Amino acid sequence: MPADTDIGNMALSRLGTRATIADLTENSTEARQINIWYAPVRDELQSLVDWNFNRVTQALAASGTPPARWSASYAYPSDCLRMRRLDFGASNWRSGEPANGFEIASNGSSTFLYCNEDRVTAVFAQRVVDPARFTPGFILAFVDCLAASIALAITQKSDLAERLARRAQDRIERAMADSANEGVIVGDADWRAQSLAVRGFDGSAP
């Protein structure tokens, strides 16, 4: 499987440039831009699609003191990018449904899940940083999203950046369809990566 640097170089190849990097921290324009966007784009993409490789089922551990309106407090997983499902004994909640019967909040230093249940199991998107765990489909989507994010800064070509953004969106749609075909419930229809949208590349350009 490719390393972080390989993924960065694949993204650069999408730009049509011959430049490559030996390390994400080297002192080059390409490496600096990739280093800026690599982790945010990776995490956003891992949260948008219910990938098999980062779907974790975990019983939450009782922790902290709940506010008066709740009877139980559980530690929120520190590596959770997005909560997909919560099981409370006989009841459950899925992403996209109203958050009834529980609350996720911070006490100023840590995040907790508050509820009135004595047992909670979570299914969530885990932050995975080891490229060896990435699936081929995720790598291709990641490369396209990363390329779209760095295109304007490196090439100064807005049309290329917009074209790559549309390609990235198509790749994400395909990944979500593949997940749905495997029986995975996709709870978030807003599949456009924030890392693209904040740069103004919403795929609407002709």
Side-chain angles (χ1 to χ4, degrees):
M1 298 300 289
D4 293 336
T5 302
D6 298 321
I7 292 172
N9 282 324
M10 283 188 280
L12 288 175
S13 74
R14 287 281 196 254
L15 309 184
T17 175
R18 296 181 180 179
T20 59
I21 61 172
D23 190 271
L24 265 61
T25 60
E26 72 181 35
N27 187 24
S28 67
T29 298
E30 291 79 10
R32 286 194 296 271
Q33 289 300 317
I34 292 171
N35 198 41
I36 288 171
W37 286 100
Y38 190 94
V41 172
R42 178 200 64 209
D43 291 356
E44 180 73 0
L45 185 56
Q46 288 184 9
S47 72
L48 283 174
V49 181
D50 195 355
W51 306 97
N52 291 333
F53 75 89
N54 78 327
R55 187 189 314 120
V56 172
T57 301
Q58 177 179 304
L60 300 187
S63 178
T65 302
R69 59 187 177 276
W70 300 108
S71 64
S73 174
Y74 297 89
Y76 194 82
S78 60
D79 56 354
C80 174
L81 293 172
R82 174 165 295 188
M83 194 63 69
R84 303 287 186 197
R85 176 187 173 103
L86 291 168
D87 290 324
F88 306 96
S91 65
N92 61 69
W93 168 89
R94 292 180 185 274
S95 177
E97 296 177 354
N100 295 325
F102 70 94
E103 178 185 357
I104 296 173
S106 173
N107 66 355
S109 58
S110 299
T111 302
F112 298 90
L113 183 144
Y114 302 127
C115 64
N116 294 321
E117 303 291 338
D118 60 6
R119 186 175 70 255
V120 180
T121 298
V123 180
F124 61 91
Q126 179 189 53
R127 177 183 293 106
V128 174
V129 301
D130 181 4
R133 289 182 55 187
F134 297 166
T135 61
F138 174 80
I139 291 172
L140 290 174
F142 187 15
V143 166
D144 285 342
C145 291
L146 185 59
S149 296
I150 64 176
L152 186 59
I154 292 178
T155 69
Q156 307 301 311
K157 297 178 180 178
S158 59
D159 57 336
L160 173 62
E162 290 166 357
R163 187 164 64 252
L164 289 171
R166 290 194 295 270
R167 180 189 180 107
Q169 291 167 20
D170 290 343
R171 184 76 71 178
I172 294 171
E173 277 194 306
R174 195 176 311 136
M176 294 183 76
D178 288 344
S179 291
N181 289 336
E182 290 178 345
V184 173
I185 294 177
V186 179
D188 187 357
D190 182 15
W191 46 263
R192 181 170 296 115
Q194 292 179 7
S195 57
L196 306 182
V198 296
R199 296 174 69 85
F201 305 142
D202 63 359
S204 61

